[in-house]
Amino acid sequence: MAPTAPPPTPLAPPPTQPDHWHASATTTAADLAPFTGADLDEARSRLTRLARIWANRLDALTPDELDRSPGAGWTFRQLAFHVAESVYYADSVGDQH
């Protein structure tokens, strides 16, 4: 009987996948993507509406539904905590001018 390789240890990371991305040595005006005050106002408005929709949908779920996942990933409760943590991150980065 031929020897078989041992199964990979769960602590070993998977091999790195190449990303095939190639950097540019030149920055163009399009790369800078200027963001005006009107753009900021629109982004805030959209994010405020999105937050209200998200809160309304979460409020409609029962505790049991919050602890279920729509697939193989996170539960709705885990998603809600993750989003709340991303707000903390955004606030901690703040305005970098």
Side-chain angles (χ1 to χ4, degrees), residues 89-97:
Y89 172 76
D91 287 343
S92 69
V93 171
D95 188 5
Q96 298 294 316
H97 298 333

Side-chain angles (χ1 to χ4, degrees), residues 3 6 35 38 45-46 63 68 96:
F35 200 75
S45 177
R46 289 179 183 215
R68 279 189 284 181
Q96 298 294 316

Side-chain angles (χ1 to χ4, degrees), residues 40-51:
L40 179 59
D41 185 54
E42 178 64 20
R44 283 183 176 144
S45 177
R46 289 179 183 215
L47 289 171
T48 298
R49 289 191 308 267
L50 177 62

Side-chain angles (χ1 to χ4, degrees), residues 5 12 18 27 32 41 51 66 68 70 88 90 97:
T27 301
L32 298 176
D41 185 54
L66 281 170
R68 279 189 284 181
Y88 167 79
H97 298 333

